[in-house]
Amino acid sequence: MTFRAGCKREWVLNSSEPDLAYTEQAFPECPACPHRVEPEGGPPFCTLRPVGTPHPFAALAGLNLPE
C-alpha cells in the first residue's frame, strides 16, 4: 500500500492500517512542517495516510455553522 505524508512524500509499506505515524522527522523541513503533530509527553510525528484517502476532517471543510 502506498502512504503519503502531508509534504506529499510517499512510502510503499506492507500495512493495512488506516494511517501510520512517521516519527523519524528526517527531512530538513520536518521541524517547521504544518503537518507535524507534537503531542504532550510523546515524540513529534507526521501522519501517513493511504494515497486517495480523504483527510479525516475533510467533511468539515464544507460545513456551514449558523452564527
Side-chain angles (χ1 to χ4, degrees), residues 4 10 14-16 31 37 40 57 65:
R4 181 179 295 148
E10 295 183 354
N14 186 16
S15 176
S16 60
V37 178
E40 191 173 315
F57 300 126
L65 294 175

Side-chain angles (χ1 to χ4, degrees), residues 15-64:
S15 176
S16 60
E17 294 300 320
D19 44 57
L20 301 171
Y22 171 68
T23 57
E24 189 178 353
Q25 308 285 292
F27 305 104
E29 66 273 22
C30 285
C33 180
H35 303 280
R36 178 180 164 117
V37 178
E38 295 189 30
E40 191 173 315
F45 66 91
C46 180
T47 300
L48 305 179
R49 291 192 176 84
V51 171
T53 303
H55 189 280
F57 300 126
L60 298 176
L63 191 62
N64 253 338

